Amino acid sequence: MKGITLRSPGGLERLKLTEMPDPGTPGPGEIRVRVHASSLNYHDYGVVSGRMPTADGRIPMSDGAGVVEAVGEGVTDYSVGDHVVSCFFPGWHEGPPTVSDFSTTPGDGVDGYARQVVVRPATWFTQAPKGFSHAEAATLTTAGLTAWRALVVNGGLKAGDVVLVLGTGGVSIFALQIAKAMGATVIATSSSDQKLERVRALGADHTINYRQHEDWGIRARDWTGGRGIDHVIEVGGPGTLAQSIAAVRVGGHIALIGVLTGRAGEVPTGALMAKQARLQGLIVGSRSQQMVFVYALEATGLRPVIDRSFGLVEIADAFRYEESGAHFGKICLEF
């Protein structure tokens, strides 16, 4: 079978198409999955670019979706032909967070899904939403579940809440869709007027070009009549956090899920304290949360926004496209 390996020390030019041995038949508790799609995330880019070092020869990509080809002894949750999607933290099944690193994350601490076939424990997957393409299902593992956990699991989102999403990447677009499906109001930011037009078409109630308005957080707050935002989907990190704090309402919720502007920086702690807001970091979610998310997708009819798909051999080009920032929603690999 074919797959992609990453040679140390990383870099897009060090992604290589490789002939790999077939993983064989599944053992007890395992399933064999023909992988058909993956999706690109900022975390995956950190690994393949070498910014987040991993083992030499690592198979990248944390997201994988495909079809069950065989089941091992004792597996009752899956049958041959089922469409499944992988979990970001294979060992975190339910309950509060149990992991604080990526040592068990496919495509980072262990081999990932940039390959045609895997044999893994059945608990490393959930069912994919009925009617989803493999590419659509592959967007759920990281980006979709992150948005779901931020708004619904941690945030307790309810109809009438106001949500602020930063940018138009995978997590932010999912958050916009989830919020609108649950009856919330959404404010979206981007540096592109064209992208802002697209988020309005998806239901965004108000948009702000942050290149034109550096005080976008204050403007978002003012748009609410001064009350402020209930939930901020903070993907930027230190470079955007001050404006997110300015935007959030007293007692509101900021979900810190990204570090696009850096891993460390000054936090206006006085302003955060005065707002009595909750700043909560999170990394994706558990298997049980993913299962509930899948049920919600089936109930609401929400479908992921996929900007563009690439073939497996085009993986470096796919990441270059992600680097460009031109995408809107998710970028996928299909193979």
Side-chain angles (χ1 to χ4, degrees):
M1 68 169 189
K2 289 179 169 50
I4 300 293
T5 56
L6 175 68
R7 309 307 305 188
S8 291
L12 300 185
E13 72 284 354
R14 299 181 73 82
L15 289 165
K16 303 297 181 185
L17 184 67
T18 306
E19 192 65 34
M20 301 177 178
D22 188 277
T25 58
E30 295 181 331
I31 58 176
R32 176 185 168 100
V33 178
R34 171 59 167 95
V35 182
H36 285 284
S38 184
S39 78
L40 278 63
N41 301 287
Y42 184 73
H43 180 87
D44 298 306
Y45 177 72
V47 173
V48 300
S49 66
R51 298 178 185 181
M52 301 174 65
T54 188
D56 184 51
R58 174 68 72 223
I59 301 170
M61 307 307 292
S62 59
D63 300 357
V67 179
V68 176
E69 291 189 329
V71 299
E73 181 183 353
V75 174
T76 58
D77 290 342
Y78 303 102
S79 301
V80 173
D82 282 355
H83 288 205
V84 295
V85 58
S86 64
C87 297
F88 188 86
F89 289 123
W92 181 17
H93 295 165
E94 59 186 354
T98 58
V99 287
S100 60
D101 59 34
F102 304 110
S103 60
T104 61
T105 298
D108 190 340
V110 298
D111 284 335
Y113 295 101
R115 49 179 156 167
Q116 292 178 310
V117 181
V118 297
V119 172
R120 292 296 198 190
T123 54
W124 283 37
F125 296 86
T126 71
Q127 296 281 357
K130 294 179 179 63
F132 270 39
S133 69
H134 296 304
E136 288 176 323
T139 68
L140 308 184
T141 295
T142 304
L145 184 56
T146 297
W148 174 260
R149 181 182 167 200
L151 286 176
V152 180
V153 180
N154 291 356
L157 178 72
K158 62 184 183 299
D161 283 354
V162 181
V163 175
L164 173 62
V165 299
L166 310 187
T168 56
V171 174
S172 295
I173 294 300
F174 261 117
L176 162 62
Q177 293 177 289
I178 291 167
K180 294 306 297 183
M182 296 185 67
T185 296
V186 177
I187 303 173
T189 72
S190 174
S191 62
S192 163
D193 287 338
Q194 182 180 15
K195 289 182 177 180
L196 290 176
E197 184 176 342
R198 294 185 67 181
V199 295
R200 287 193 290 271
L202 285 175
D205 300 276
H206 183 60
T207 57
I208 304 169
N209 187 314
Y210 66 80
R211 293 281 189 216
Q212 298 173 8
H213 305 288
E214 294 183 358
D215 61 343
W216 50 266
I218 296 171
R219 286 174 176 267
R221 182 197 64 202
D222 290 347
W223 187 79
T224 68
R227 176 179 177 273
I229 309 299
D230 296 290
H231 308 276
V232 181
I233 304 302
E234 171 53 79
V235 299
T240 54
L241 188 54
Q243 283 298 309
S244 290
I245 292 171
V248 74
R249 69 167 171 83
V250 173
H253 168 229
I254 302 173
L256 181 61
I257 61 148
V259 290
L260 296 178
T261 63
R263 294 180 174 273
E266 184 176 341
V267 176
T269 52
L272 180 63
M273 183 173 64
K275 284 291 185 73
Q276 303 181 67
R278 174 163 54 104
L279 174 63
Q280 182 167 7
L282 72 147
I283 305 174
V284 196
S286 69
R287 182 173 186 259
S288 64
Q289 290 167 0
Q290 182 165 307
M291 294 170 71
V292 173
F293 179 41
V294 168
Y295 299 149
L297 291 170
E298 291 176 341
T300 61
L302 188 155
R303 304 298 281 258
V305 175
I306 297 176
D307 182 288
R308 185 176 171 187
S309 288
F310 293 78
L312 186 62
V313 71
E314 300 173 301
I315 185 170
D317 290 334
F319 278 109
R320 291 187 186 100
Y321 184 56
E322 184 182 38
E323 274 182 334
S324 75
H327 60 289
F328 182 92
K330 293 296 293 177
I331 305 166
C332 292
L333 302 175
E334 295 188 72
F335 46 96

